[in-house]
């Protein structure tokens, strides 16, 4: 994954404590706003990936990876704090949690996300990963602002029953039930979907039937899973071209 460069952006793994601190600073700016650090207990057990602008050296995106041998280790994940994931304990392939993904506020260059997915694709191929999962965040904690996006998730992208996460967090928005009768406006739903989640869904990903209200990071997030073998062949080809 080291040295993956496309255009003006390069993805690399953290090589020093300062890299992790830079990721924590970017997370604070992206999720909470302003200056500060947003560390947590999972930082010390994860591999951190930085996407940088090679012209300026600026950190433009970051995420972290937590590999798991199989579903029997799912309770070790960050996501397991918020979702009851016992159904996924039966998954018998290698897994990786992609967490704390964020892009520097104000940046909209789609190449940033492409480089991030290229780095992830290289990791998945090199490590033989069979499922990618994590929490995909909507900004803010007012569910009504994202009603069309949630209605579209309910209508087209719920997890298969065998993997469906159950409720664990004390504050949730049960969108599959609450919005059962709402027909989404597709344009508003698509525009309102977080870029990372939109990428997951394009590849065949699925989500939980409820969103967790995270007041600490001022987000609503959904559990998101992607079985690698379910990615359409044409999408796999595009991802591997980016990762090459």
């Amino acid at each position: 994954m080291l040295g993956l460069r496309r255009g003006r952006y390069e993805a690399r793994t953290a090589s020093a404590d300062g890299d992790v601190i830079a990721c924590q600073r970017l997370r604070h700016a992206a999720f909470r706003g302003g200056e500060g650090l947003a560390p947590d207990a999972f930082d010390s057990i994860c591999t951190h990936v930085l996407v940088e602008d090679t012209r300026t050296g600026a950190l433009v995106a970051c995420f972290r990876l937590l590999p798991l041998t199989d579903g029997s280790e799912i309770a070790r994940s960050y996501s397991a704090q918020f979702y009851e994931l016992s159904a996924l304990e039966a998954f018998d392939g290698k897994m990786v949690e992609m967490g704390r993904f964020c892009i520097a506020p104000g940046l909209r260059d789609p190449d940033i996300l492409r480089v991030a997915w290229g780095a992830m694709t290289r990791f998945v191929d090199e490590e033989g990963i069979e499922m990618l999962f994590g929490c995909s965040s909507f900004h803010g904690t007012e569910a009504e602002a994202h009603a069309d996006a949630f209605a579209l998730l309910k209508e087209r992208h719920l997890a298969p029953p065998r993997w469906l996460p159950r409720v664990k967090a004390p504050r949730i928005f049960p969108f599959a039930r609450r919005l059962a009768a709402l027909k989404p406006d597709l344009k508003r739903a698509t525009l309102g979907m977080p870029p990372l989640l939109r990428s997951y869904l394009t590849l065949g990903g699925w989500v939980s039937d409820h969103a967790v209200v995270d007041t600490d990071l001022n987000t609503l997030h959904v559990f998101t899973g992607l079985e690698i073998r379910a990615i359409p062949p044409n999408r796999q080809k595009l991802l591997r071209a980016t990762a090459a």
Side-chain angles (χ1 to χ4, degrees):
M1 193 185 306
L2 288 172
L4 176 61
R5 182 171 179 173
R6 292 291 177 271
R8 64 185 291 179
Y9 302 112
E10 182 175 17
R12 64 178 181 87
T13 51
S15 58
D17 290 344
D19 288 336
V20 177
I21 291 172
C23 292
Q24 294 169 349
R25 184 174 293 114
L26 178 56
R27 287 181 342 214
H28 191 286
F31 291 115
R32 295 174 179 160
E35 297 183 359
L37 300 178
D40 70 17
F42 289 84
D43 283 336
S44 62
I45 62 171
C46 291
T47 296
H48 297 262
V49 180
L50 298 82
V51 180
E52 296 167 317
D53 186 327
T54 59
R55 299 181 187 178
T56 65
L59 179 63
V60 297
C62 63
F63 58 92
R64 67 187 184 193
L65 301 172
L66 178 63
L68 304 176
T69 302
D70 55 33
S72 68
E73 296 187 326
I74 196 75
R76 294 180 52 222
S77 68
Y78 171 85
S79 301
Q81 297 180 104
F82 304 100
Y83 302 90
E84 204 290 302
L85 300 175
S86 59
L88 282 165
E89 292 176 358
F91 191 82
D92 61 2
K94 289 186 177 181
M95 311 172 81
V96 66
E97 182 177 44
M98 182 183 190
R100 285 295 200 263
F101 179 88
C102 58
I103 295 175
L107 295 184
R108 297 288 185 271
D109 190 338
D111 282 343
I112 296 173
L113 190 59
R114 290 192 187 101
V115 169
W117 273 107
M120 172 57 67
T121 300
R122 183 175 292 184
F123 181 87
V124 165
D125 282 348
E126 289 178 351
E127 299 298 322
I129 301 298
E130 296 184 42
M131 182 180 286
L132 174 63
F133 71 94
C135 300
S136 298
S137 299
F138 291 80
H139 183 69
T141 58
E142 297 300 322
E144 293 77 9
H146 309 292
D148 286 291
F150 282 131
L152 184 60
L153 293 178
K154 170 264 302 180
E155 196 166 271
R156 299 186 180 180
H157 301 292
L158 291 184
R162 69 183 183 281
W163 304 135
L164 186 67
R166 297 199 294 268
V167 173
K168 183 175 184 179
R171 291 190 62 194
I172 68 163
F173 176 61
F175 63 85
R177 175 170 55 81
R178 193 78 60 82
L179 302 178
L182 179 64
K183 292 297 180 184
D185 179 291
L186 294 182
K187 183 177 181 180
R188 282 201 301 266
T190 302
L191 290 175
M193 205 75 74
L196 180 65
L197 178 55
R198 191 161 56 238
S199 295
Y200 267 114
L201 301 178
T202 300
L203 296 172
W206 42 259
V207 302
S208 53
D209 60 2
H210 62 283
V212 169
V213 181
D214 187 339
T215 54
D216 177 47
L217 293 181
N218 189 35
T219 63
L220 290 157
H221 59 71
V222 292
F223 183 89
T224 312
L226 174 63
E227 294 179 73
I228 304 305
R229 60 178 171 267
I231 300 175
N234 62 325
R235 294 289 179 179
Q236 291 189 31
K237 184 177 180 179
L238 288 172
L239 285 171
R240 291 193 170 103
T242 303

